[in-house]
Structure formats: structure tokens, C-alpha cells
Amino acid sequence: MKKKVLFLCTGNSCRSQMAEGWLRHLHGQRFEAFSAGIAKHGMNQYAIQAMKEIGVDLSAHHSKLLSELESLEFDLVVTVCSNAHESCPLFPGKAKVVHVPFDDPPALAVGLSDSEEIMVPYRRVRDQIGEFVKSIDKLIDRGNSMEIKILHDDKIKSQVSQRYGSIAKAGNSCCSASASGCCQPDGIQQVSEKLGYSSDEVSSVPEGANMGLGCGNPQAIASLKPGENVLDLGSGGGFDCFLAAKAVGPSGMVIGVDMTPEMLSKARKNAVNGGYSNVDFRLGEIEHLPLADNSVDVIISNCVINLSPDKESVFREAFRVLRSNGRIAVSDVVAFKPLTEELRNNLDAYCGCIAGAATVNELEAMLKMIGFANVRIEIKPESRNVVKDWFKGAEDFVCSANIMASKP
Ligand SMILES: C[S@@+](CC[C@H](N)C(=O)[O-])C[C@H]1O[C@@H](n2cnc3c(N)ncnc32)[C@H](O)[C@@H]1O
């Protein structure tokens, strides 16, 4: 007999409906999927659209109250939003109840009017729910470890976003807003030159675009050509996007993706000030890129992937959006020896681009497993002189590296 799983949230209009759709789509043979709310808000049209994009039709779904499903006995109940968690009745019998919170897409889309931008949080949450539902059988069979991982990743991302949000709001002087990390006490111009930018490059971008948050110069290894489409993962104030925009010229295009709204608006203002017409900044997570498959020639990134708690998803997404023969040219912090447990668990060091660094071997294995060819990771020992100012003792474990690979 199929096991019954109920997804519960407040209005049964978006997240719980997506989860029901995902479960039927991915595990319909093993599980019966249900969803309900503690109120009926009616189906959310953006949720229907987001699921339609991955081939799941929710158009016949409707919002239901939990009381309408009272006669059923569930094997697992998953509350997917905090409100339902608080107001959720206790389930008698054998139902196991777990709480796996997901962001509320309608709340994230408040104030947005462009439908493509509105879809960004819906797609992100759709994919996060999909990842969760993919392994839901393990949750039933083996306990709560995946739930803990999702909570852990969300907490890290929200801390990272808060950190870079306050840096963006503080303007150029990132050191005044951040306690440590990815932040150059020596003066932005000087450190940018130490990291491989020419003084012409540094002075060619709009004021405020270079916040001194990088750890290398991806332009130097990207060999950008006129007409290419470039994607910058974690574009910050837009520094590398603006340099890339010049290199690819008016026939090319540069897209910057960043999850921190304050960074995004700063980058957009900088683009207006600099008169760039071939740069587009998009709100999104690099683990769930708001870009079509096979649409990018070159992916650059500067001091960002170390901040992702799910690097495998970042590289899988990079692989998906790259065209065949497309390449990645990334500057990032890597570990040349395993970090101590204490350093790895230090949230301040994490947000400061130190504690999330993967080892060279881990990155190499990940890139190859995903299908990248020509994988090359070149560590830059001299950059230990820069990272030593970010976090005490960091230079004993991490340094900057160039990460290059191509999609066959
Ligand atoms: C250290 S800063 C680097 C910014 C820029 N690349 C530069 O060199 O100036 C990291 C940036 O990555 C963004 N970021 C971190 N994790 C991200 C994620 N998972 N998805 C999207 N953006 C992310 C942050 O919001 C921040 O703007």
C-alpha cells in the first residue's frame, strides 16, 4: 500500500501545493500526495506557472482545509511554513510530523512588478522543495538528517546575505560594516592591484562598483571575446560585470546574479551611472540560476562560490546554463589543507569567505563528476598575504585560486 504524505501550510496556495505536485511527479508510485492549509487562500497563479515550467500541472488543484482530510491517516506530515508549524494540530496515530520551512514566494515578491522578477523566488522555492521531496523517502525511512541540512543551508545563506546587504548599504567602505573577511583594510585600489587588476581597469568602472570584495581577477583568465554572453555568479556591486561588458562589447551581453537585494540595487544604479546597455543584473541564487539552459559562453565569479553551502548545485547549474564548449573562469578562495573543525564552524569566518572554502581535491572531483572537462585549479600562494587580513590565521589554510573548466 502506498504511504500517505500530507504537506501543510497556511493558505494551501503555493508551497504545500508545489510539494504535493512534486511528490506525485517524483514518487507517485510509492507515495500518495496530499496538501492542505489552516485557511483556504486559493491557488497562486505564479506557483502554477513555476510548476508548469518543470512539467507538473497544478491547474486542477484547489486549496483545501486540513479538516477536509480528517478521515485520512498519514504516514508523514510535513509543515512547510512557520505559521502552519505554530498552528498545526497534533497528529494522532502513527503520523510523523516534521517541519521543513521554505521561504514564502509571495512575501518575497512584494513590491515587484516585473513578472520575470516575480518568478525568481517562485522558481527558487520550487527547486528547493523539489530537492527536499526528491529524498523524502529517506526522511520516512531514516530520520531527520536532511531536514537539518536544509535548515542549516538556509541559515547560512541568510547570514551571508545579511552580511553583504549591510556592506552594500555602507557604500564603498565595506570595512565599517563587516567585522571581517572579503574586505580589504589596505585600501581598495591597492588591494585590487595586488589581486591582478590594472589601475586602468580599477578606474574604468563607475564609482562604488569595486567594493574590494574580490579575491582575484577572473577577467585575467576568462579571455573574453567580443560578442560573448557572460554570466557573473555573485556579482556584488558589478565590478567584474562592467569590465566584462567592455570586453564583450555591444554585441555581447553580461548577466550578473546575486541573492542580496541591496547588492542588486547598488549594481543597477552603478550600471545606470556608467551608461551600460549590455549588462543585466538579476536577483537569484547561484544554486538555482534564473537563466535558460545552454545560454552562456563564459561564467566568471569572484570570491563567491566559497560562500555557498551547496557547491555541487552551483556547478551543476553552471553546467546547465553553459553552451557546449562554454567555459568557467573563476577566482575563489580554496583550502590547501583541511580546515580545523573550529574554523569550519565559525559563522563569521564563513561569511568572510574563509570557512566555506572547499579543498582543491574536493572541487576538482566535483567538477569532473558533473561532466566538466579541462579542469584546472591553480592556487596562488602569494594571496595568503591578502587573506591574512581577513581572518586571523586564515593564511594557514586558505588562499585564492583560479578555477577553470569547460563544458564538452
Ligand atoms: C564576497 S562578495 C563578492 C562580490 C563580487 N563578486 C566582487 O568581487 O565584488 C560575495 C557576493 O556574492 C553574493 N552571494 C553569496 N552567496 C550567494 C548565493 N548563494 N547566491 C547568489 N549570490 C550569492 C553576495 O550577496 C555578495 O554580493
Side-chain angles (χ1 to χ4, degrees):
M1 206 171 75
K2 288 185 188 180
K3 291 193 169 169
K4 291 187 179 59
V5 179
L6 170 67
F7 297 98
L8 188 61
C9 69
T10 319
N12 191 216
S13 63
C14 182
R15 285 164 289 183
S16 53
Q17 293 283 359
M18 288 196 206
E20 179 186 341
W22 268 119
L23 185 62
R24 202 165 290 125
H25 180 62
L26 294 171
H27 296 298
Q29 310 282 9
R30 279 196 64 195
F31 299 106
E32 262 188 276
F34 300 86
S35 69
I38 49 180
K40 282 197 217 187
H41 289 173
M43 287 300 292
N44 181 303
Q45 293 309 308
Y46 291 106
I48 294 178
Q49 169 64 25
M51 293 302 285
K52 190 175 166 200
E53 288 172 5
I54 50 124
V56 178
D57 184 7
L58 299 187
S59 60
H61 283 210
H62 60 279
S63 295
K64 294 169 291 307
L65 288 175
L66 181 56
S67 55
E68 294 174 47
L69 304 177
E70 239 167 28
S71 59
L72 297 171
E73 204 170 314
F74 295 102
D75 298 279
L76 177 68
V77 177
V78 186
T79 56
V80 290
C81 60
S82 52
N83 195 13
H85 183 50
E86 283 151 16
S87 324
C88 195
L90 281 176
F91 285 85
K94 60 180 179 163
K96 170 177 178 172
V97 182
V98 295
H99 179 52
V100 186
F102 293 98
D103 285 342
D104 182 24
L108 294 174
V110 167
L112 299 177
S113 52
D114 178 83
S115 58
E116 258 312 295
E117 289 214 338
I118 292 174
M119 285 304 293
V120 169
Y122 284 88
R123 290 185 182 121
R124 169 167 73 80
V125 173
R126 171 199 69 195
D127 293 345
Q128 287 172 339
I129 293 174
E131 277 305 306
F132 165 69
V133 171
K134 215 181 269 174
S135 337
I136 203 163
D137 45 347
K138 296 191 189 83
L139 187 60
I140 292 182
D141 300 340
R142 279 202 251 125
N144 298 348
S145 57
M146 186 178 46
E147 178 191 0
I148 289 160
K149 161 122 179 77
I150 288 175
L151 288 172
H152 180 250
D153 286 7
D154 278 355
K155 184 177 161 214
I156 285 181
K157 275 196 202 161
S158 105
Q159 293 284 335
V160 167
S161 189
Q162 269 177 37
R163 170 73 65 94
Y164 289 97
S166 45
I167 289 174
K169 277 194 258 170
N172 275 351
S173 167
C174 67
C175 295
S176 60
S178 116
S180 64
C182 301
C183 179
Q184 326 287 1
D186 269 0
I188 290 171
Q189 171 100 17
Q190 203 182 335
V191 175
S192 298
E193 288 176 25
K194 256 198 216 170
L195 290 173
Y197 293 98
S198 69
S199 58
D200 281 353
E201 283 176 320
V202 176
S203 53
S204 70
V205 297
E207 202 187 325
N210 177 13
M211 286 184 278
L213 296 174
C215 54
N217 176 6
Q219 315 289 326
I221 51 169
S223 308
L224 298 178
K225 295 180 207 58
E228 286 189 315
N229 281 351
V230 179
L231 166 65
D232 183 11
L233 304 178
S235 40
F239 180 34
D240 287 305
C241 288
F242 299 133
L243 295 177
K246 199 170 164 202
V248 299
S251 58
M253 182 71 201
V254 181
I255 295 168
V257 171
D258 204 291
M259 70 173 175
T260 304
E262 294 88 345
M263 277 293 182
L264 203 74
S265 42
K266 192 173 173 76
R268 285 178 177 160
K269 274 188 204 131
N270 290 335
V272 171
N273 291 343
Y276 292 88
S277 56
N278 59 344
V279 183
D280 180 23
F281 291 104
R282 298 187 186 172
L283 183 66
E285 292 185 344
I286 57 176
E287 299 84 355
H288 310 275
L289 287 170
L291 275 95
D293 297 356
N294 310 312
S295 58
V296 169
D297 298 302
V298 189
I299 293 181
I300 58 171
S301 182
N302 198 348
C303 220
V304 177
I305 298 173
N306 71 82
L307 292 167
S308 171
D310 185 3
K311 294 172 183 50
E312 189 182 320
S313 291
V314 175
F315 288 119
R316 281 195 190 286
E317 278 292 88
F319 194 85
R320 176 182 70 76
V321 303
L322 272 179
R323 294 201 173 107
S324 177
N325 295 322
R327 57 199 188 276
I328 61 175
V330 166
S331 297
D332 204 6
V333 174
V334 301
F336 53 82
K337 76 177 190 208
L339 273 58
T340 60
E341 200 58 23
E342 194 189 347
L343 185 55
R344 199 163 273 296
N345 290 328
N346 184 316
L347 195 55
D348 205 32
Y350 193 100
C351 295
C353 299
I354 304 293
T359 65
V360 174
N361 286 347
E362 283 166 347
L363 288 169
E364 228 170 58
M366 204 181 283
L367 286 160
K368 286 181 181 164
M369 176 191 72
I370 289 166
F372 281 101
N374 306 313
V375 175
R376 268 191 305 148
I377 302 180
E378 293 168 357
I379 64 166
K380 301 195 289 183
E382 69 282 7
S383 62
R384 293 169 64 207
N385 251 331
V386 177
V387 299
K388 77 175 179 5
D389 293 329
W390 295 356
F391 198 87
K392 195 165 179 288
E395 71 278 14
D396 295 335
F397 298 94
V398 302
C399 68
S400 174
N402 291 332
I403 302 170
M404 291 155 285
S406 57
K407 179 171 170 177

